[in-house]
Amino acid sequence: MNLYYLRYFVVLAKMEHYTRAAAKLNITQPSLSHAISSIESELGVALFDRVGRNVALTKYGKQFLVDVERSLEILDRGVERIQQVGSGYEDIELGFLPGMGATMVAETVSAFQATPEGAKSRFHFYSDTTPNLLKGLEEQKYDLVLCAKTDNALLSFSLVSREPYYLAVPEGHPLASRDKIKLSETLEYPHIMFSKNTGIRPEVDKIYARLEKKPVIAYEIQEDQDIAGLVAHRFGVAVLPKIKVLESLPVRLIPLEEEEIQRELWVATLKGHYLSPTVKAFCEFV
């Protein structure tokens, strides 16, 4: 059904006069008559009755008007929303790893929104593990995510940052006085490990596999902040990045001699998927 004809129908329904409605629409009266006849022919019912020189909606016309106005309102709202995206007004769905929201994400988004490219952006935040974030990205729940890198042909990754991991021990621990340490020297102590579905766990497992020895795993935890708290309360030692919460805990960080154990943060997007100018600008900003 012709969209313009539906708009003509609404104007005529409000004005109840062909000549005045045609003038408002800036079309000829025969054109308006043809549009209404076309709609009625397609629907198989009369939408208007003649009332002297005016017209009035039939019962079916009144029913149809309610649905047409609702549909046009939804369509116009959708068009406006998409046009806003093209003009820089946009909601951005951003996923990131747990613990990043309070520092890196908050600081980066705030700085981006202070730029001309990001001034009209509004962010929605989601925190989860790398596998769940990437699954959500594939399902187009997110525009982009900040996470660890995996082998996934559907996704595009760009490196954002790289930082070392440390051995975290509670203050007063037998290893707390060390300036540097090998993982092989930690095997006699219970370990608090990241869960198997996190990005760093496979890297740590590779180191222990080379040693042909495994640590005693006391706990497996998903979030680094929770691991830090358990270390502080002497539940075990752990391989951790330097996170903000450690500044307030009685925990000592010892550099690892295995320098290849690093925390890499990547920005991931869906290959072949349209990215708006604002999302592209944010990726570049990150």
Side-chain angles (χ1 to χ4, degrees):
M1 189 169 287
N2 190 302
L3 182 61
Y4 287 109
Y5 288 1
L6 293 177
R7 296 191 186 278
Y8 296 169
F9 163 72
V10 172
V11 172
L12 180 60
K14 301 295 184 184
M15 304 194 74
E16 298 184 333
H17 196 282
Y18 268 94
T19 303
R20 290 197 291 270
K24 181 177 178 63
L25 292 165
N26 198 30
I27 61 175
T28 65
Q29 185 172 328
S31 295
L32 178 57
S33 297
H34 173 73
I36 300 303
S37 295
S38 296
I39 295 175
E40 291 178 326
S41 176
E42 187 171 344
L43 294 175
V45 297
L47 299 174
F48 293 94
D49 286 324
R50 286 281 183 180
V51 183
R53 294 184 178 181
N54 290 8
V55 293
L57 287 169
T58 65
K59 177 181 71 173
Y60 308 107
K62 291 176 181 178
Q63 294 172 355
F64 190 53
L65 177 63
V66 172
D67 293 331
V68 169
E69 286 188 308
R70 184 185 300 119
S71 300
L72 290 176
E73 181 184 356
I74 293 171
L75 177 62
D76 290 340
R77 192 162 58 242
V79 169
E80 181 183 1
R81 187 161 53 243
I82 296 304
Q83 287 177 335
Q84 286 180 344
V85 171
S87 302
Y89 290 95
E90 185 174 2
D91 288 350
I92 297 177
E93 312 296 328
L94 173 63
F96 52 85
L97 295 172
M100 293 179 58
T103 52
M104 188 272 185
V105 169
E107 293 168 0
T108 303
V109 169
S110 178
F112 176 69
Q113 290 178 323
T115 68
E117 295 83 2
K120 300 174 183 178
S121 63
R122 183 175 64 177
F123 283 76
H124 300 275
F125 300 120
Y126 308 89
S127 177
D128 212 328
T129 61
T130 288
N132 289 338
L133 289 174
L134 297 182
K135 184 174 184 293
L137 185 60
E138 289 182 37
E139 295 171 351
Q140 301 184 34
K141 292 179 180 178
Y142 313 126
D143 293 302
L144 71 162
V145 299
L146 295 166
C147 60
K149 186 180 181 182
T150 63
D151 293 327
N152 191 321
L154 299 176
L155 305 178
S156 176
F157 292 89
S158 296
L159 183 63
V160 174
S161 64
R162 183 182 285 120
E163 58 181 319
Y165 274 82
Y166 300 83
L167 181 73
V169 300
E171 288 184 357
H173 189 274
L175 299 177
S177 61
R178 298 287 298 273
D179 294 325
K180 208 165 189 179
I181 197 165
K182 295 179 180 179
L183 284 181
S184 59
E185 300 174 274
T186 70
L187 293 171
E188 63 180 286
Y189 303 100
H191 279 56
I192 306 165
M193 301 282 279
F194 279 98
S195 302
K196 290 183 173 66
N197 64 345
T198 57
I200 185 58
R201 177 61 183 273
E203 300 305 315
V204 176
D205 285 345
K206 287 178 186 176
I207 300 294
Y208 285 120
R210 287 206 300 267
L211 295 173
E212 298 183 351
K213 294 181 180 180
K214 292 183 178 180
V216 175
I217 301 177
Y219 303 95
E220 292 180 291
I221 308 293
Q222 185 165 287
E223 296 194 20
D224 47 16
Q225 297 177 89
D226 296 333
I227 294 176
L230 290 174
V231 170
H233 287 84
R234 301 182 175 276
F235 285 89
V237 301
V239 174
L240 278 176
K242 187 181 289 186
I243 55 176
K244 190 76 174 176
V245 70
L246 289 168
E247 297 175 5
S248 59
L249 294 174
V251 172
R252 168 123 160 78
L253 293 182
I254 307 169
L256 294 170
E257 291 195 19
E258 293 88 355
E259 295 181 353
E260 70 268 32
I261 303 180
Q262 295 184 330
R263 185 191 208 190
E264 292 184 341
L265 181 65
W266 299 75
V267 58
T269 55
L270 190 58
K271 284 183 181 178
H273 180 66
Y274 172 77
L275 296 180
S276 71
T278 306
V279 173
K280 283 184 180 178
F282 181 67
C283 287
E284 293 171 3
F285 186 84
V286 171

